């Protein structure tokens, strides 16, 4: 067994040191390549997850207006802020935003169904909000 499989943190530290020292022969290239690719996938996943939480709360805001409160407002604000920061730090994610919105909506729909008790049929099948609306600090569906 190699260090990658037995102590991931130690493996990362050895890879960092090998890179700093330019000891290319000490790099574990197959695992290093996989980890770098996984970093990109995690950024896309974070975008989808945050959109799911945001869209789920926008649906709840829209369909349970009598229960609107500061908790939902804070969640909506936080997710918008974090998504915008993620996009600022990773501008190459912007072309993926439309696809992420569609995928995130499915998670948001599950969240809304789970937390409202409503059936799936009571909500739109596809996202009723544009990504511009979703991220607009002034937009709250009525």
């Amino acid at each position: 067994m190699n260090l990658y499989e037995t102590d991931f943190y130690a493996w990362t530290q050895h890879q960092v040191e090998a890179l700093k020292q330019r000891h290319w022969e000490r790099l574990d290239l197959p695992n290093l390549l996989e980890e770098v690719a996984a970093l990109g996938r995690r950024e896309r996943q974070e975008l989808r997850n945050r959109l799911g939480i945001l869209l789920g709360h926008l649906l709840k805001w829209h369909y349970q207006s009598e229960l609107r409160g500061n908790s939902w407002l804070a969640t909506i604000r936080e997710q918008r802020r974090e998504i915008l920061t993620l996009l600022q730090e990773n501008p190459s994610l912007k072309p993926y935003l439309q696809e992420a919105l569609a995928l995130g909506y499915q998670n948001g729909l599950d969240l809304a169904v789970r937390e409202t008790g409503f059936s799936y049929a009571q909500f739109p099948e596809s996202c009723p909000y544009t990504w511009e609306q979703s991220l607009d600090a002034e937009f709250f569906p009525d």
Side-chain angles (χ1 to χ4, degrees):
M1 251 189 236
N2 66 23
L3 197 55
Y4 179 79
E5 295 170 355
T6 60
D7 188 342
F8 182 75
Y9 179 74
W11 175 84
T12 64
Q13 299 311 296
H14 284 176
Q15 296 306 294
V16 167
E17 196 56 36
L19 286 165
K20 283 181 183 177
Q21 299 297 323
R22 299 174 188 246
H23 291 160
W24 313 125
E25 70 286 350
R26 290 182 24 209
L27 291 174
D28 176 3
L29 284 179
N31 288 318
L32 190 57
L33 290 170
E34 179 57 36
E35 291 303 321
V36 170
L39 289 172
R41 288 191 300 271
R42 280 193 288 264
E43 295 300 313
R44 289 168 57 116
Q45 181 181 12
E46 182 175 353
L47 178 60
R48 289 190 308 270
N49 290 345
R50 290 193 176 279
L51 281 167
I53 295 167
L54 171 61
L55 295 170
H57 279 77
L58 288 175
L59 286 172
K60 290 184 344 178
W61 187 273
H62 186 119
Y63 288 90
Q64 283 192 316
S65 57
E66 70 282 0
L67 297 178
R68 290 176 185 164
N70 285 334
S71 175
W72 290 359
L73 177 62
T75 298
I76 291 168
R77 287 172 41 92
E78 175 187 18
Q79 295 308 314
R80 283 177 169 159
R81 187 174 52 252
E82 292 297 327
I83 290 166
L84 290 170
T85 299
L86 183 63
L87 292 171
Q88 285 174 341
E89 292 174 352
N90 301 280
S92 63
L93 285 174
K94 288 179 183 169
Y96 177 65
L97 197 49
Q98 195 62 41
E99 182 182 347
L101 187 75
L103 294 169
Y105 180 71
Q106 295 308 308
N107 293 336
L109 182 58
D110 291 340
L111 182 149
V113 167
R114 186 172 52 252
E115 293 188 8
T116 64
F118 295 169
S119 74
Y120 285 95
Q122 291 178 267
F123 296 104
E125 282 185 38
S126 60
C127 188
Y129 319 118
T130 65
W131 66 264
E132 292 94 349
Q133 288 173 319
S134 299
L135 299 179
D136 181 351
E138 303 299 316
F139 175 76
F140 289 89
D142 290 325

